[in-house]
Amino acid sequence: MLTFPWQKSYEKVELILRRHWLVLFFIYLGFGTLFLIGPLFFYIIKISMNLTDPLILNFSLFLLFLYLLIIWQLLFLTLTDYYLDTWIITDHRILDIQQIGLFKRDVSELRLSKVQDVNVKVKGLFPTFFNYGDVIIQTAGTVPEFKFKQIPNPYKVKDKILHLFDEFTKKHINDVEVHEM
Amino acid sequence: MNDFENYLNLITKINLPLLVFLFVIIFYIIGAIFIIYHLARFGIGKAPKNLIIFFLIGAVILLIINFAFFSSIDWTDLIKKVSDFSTEF
């Protein structure tokens, strides 16, 4: 069962969304290349300069592993940003959680009754073939628009939101939250 | 040239390589703590928690390797070789 930390006792989580796995793939691809460049560069230098002195070799290996250590941390900083950007859809509300850097976090919340319009944008070769795109929710709230970026199955997500909106308005006449009365 | 040799001797005396290395490691550990804190506190679902374990394993292994290589280097000898190399030019 899907849950999140500040979930209300009466609400049920329908979807927890993150950006499509292809975004993650490109992150891993980029950093994988950086991981390979270091040893490759070391190997080229070793062969071309014919490094045989153990002291110089050890120093070069030390620099190589220091480089890998830094790349490792940069990779996980990027992954932290990916995994902390989350969209949560419950049967009562929609939450947009955006992690911006390490020390800035934006959390926007929208009651389902405030949903006015839901649009889907799938643009480009990869999004079309891998079925991911943006879902844009026009709202009647303070934040005029909620944007789910690069999420998988955007059309199904749109249908789900509209279905949840219908269910919510049937159960909450005049938008009264009966669970908190 | 005397100034450069004096500078290299000074580096050896105050063990500058160790200071620089410790500075880098401390900076790295602080960054690692921030990453682990954010994933543990704000991560939703199992994936962020698994990421913490994966990150810790890699970070510890790489740190151990780095410490091993750092301690295997005779910095005095290395600085002397750099000094000799620069003298030739």
Side-chain angles (χ1 to χ4, degrees):
Chain A
M1 195 172 67
L2 301 170
T3 60
F4 63 99
W6 54 97
Q7 181 178 347
K8 294 191 168 100
S9 56
Y10 52 79
E11 71 181 328
K12 181 186 157 214
V13 175
E14 300 287 340
L15 287 170
I16 293 180
L17 300 166
R18 290 193 178 94
R19 283 176 288 165
H20 193 267
W21 60 262
L22 201 64
V23 174
L24 207 55
F25 171 75
F26 283 122
I27 291 172
Y28 281 125
L29 187 68
F31 278 96
T33 309
L34 285 173
F35 266 109
L36 288 173
I37 280 173
L40 189 68
F41 186 70
F42 166 77
Y43 181 72
I44 290 169
I45 295 288
K46 183 174 177 276
I47 298 296
S48 62
M49 292 176 73
N50 197 25
L51 290 178
T52 50
D53 185 346
L55 181 65
I56 303 296
L57 262 175
N58 275 349
F59 180 65
S60 308
L61 282 168
F62 166 71
L63 288 178
L64 170 65
F65 278 98
L66 199 61
Y67 163 83
L68 292 178
L69 192 73
I70 292 164
I71 297 298
W72 184 255
Q73 187 156 61
L74 289 174
L75 167 65
F76 279 87
L77 274 171
T78 311
L79 290 176
T80 302
D81 185 63
Y82 171 87
Y83 278 101
L84 296 189
D85 287 348
T86 319
W87 296 277
I88 302 171
I89 302 171
T90 76
D91 57 353
H92 281 70
R93 52 188 175 146
I94 297 169
L95 290 116
D96 178 358
I97 304 164
Q98 296 297 309
Q99 185 75 30
I100 303 154
L102 273 183
F103 302 107
K104 189 177 173 188
R105 193 172 166 77
D106 282 347
V107 180
S108 304
E109 186 179 314
L110 174 72
R111 243 171 110 71
L112 276 174
S113 58
K114 302 283 183 195
V115 169
Q116 289 194 318
D117 193 23
V118 185
N119 293 309
V120 172
K121 277 190 185 164
V122 175
K123 188 179 169 186
L125 180 70
F126 283 114
T128 305
F129 277 109
F130 289 96
N131 192 24
Y132 69 90
D134 301 342
V135 173
I136 301 147
I137 305 170
Q138 302 292 334
T139 82
T142 318
V143 176
E145 189 178 273
F146 269 50
K147 195 173 183 181
F148 296 10
K149 292 175 213 158
Q150 296 174 311
I151 55 156
N153 301 309
Y155 298 104
K156 284 188 183 171
V157 171
K158 174 197 64 124
D159 292 341
K160 187 78 175 176
I161 292 169
L162 292 172
H163 171 73
L164 287 168
F165 169 80
D166 290 338
E167 292 294 310
F168 183 84
T169 45
K170 275 185 213 168
K171 291 176 188 171
H172 298 79
I173 297 161
N174 295 326
D175 200 18
V176 172
E177 184 48 81
V178 294
H179 300 101
E180 289 176 355
M181 287 173 71
Chain B
M1 199 74 260
N2 271 338
D3 287 339
F4 185 65
E5 282 178 4
N6 288 339
Y7 175 70
L8 289 174
N9 286 336
L10 182 66
I11 290 171
T12 319
K13 275 186 187 170
I14 62 171
N15 208 348
L16 194 63
L18 179 64
L19 284 174
V20 170
F21 182 60
L22 281 176
F23 174 77
V24 169
I25 294 303
I26 287 166
F27 198 70
Y28 181 84
I29 289 172
I30 291 169
I33 289 169
F34 284 149
I35 289 169
I36 292 166
Y37 170 79
H38 279 78
L39 285 172
R41 186 176 163 196
F42 300 116
I44 294 167
K46 282 186 187 172
K49 313 301 190 257
N50 292 338
L51 213 65
I52 293 171
I53 296 165
F54 193 51
F55 172 67
L56 267 175
I57 291 170
V60 166
I61 291 170
L62 284 169
L63 268 174
I64 290 170
I65 293 171
N66 268 287
F67 272 112
F69 275 116
F70 180 84
S71 56
S72 73
I73 296 168
D74 184 347
W75 292 97
T76 314
D77 199 18
L78 181 71
I79 290 163
K80 188 176 174 295
K81 279 193 177 175
V82 168
S83 169
D84 293 342
F85 182 76
S86 59
T87 310
E88 280 173 32
F89 281 97

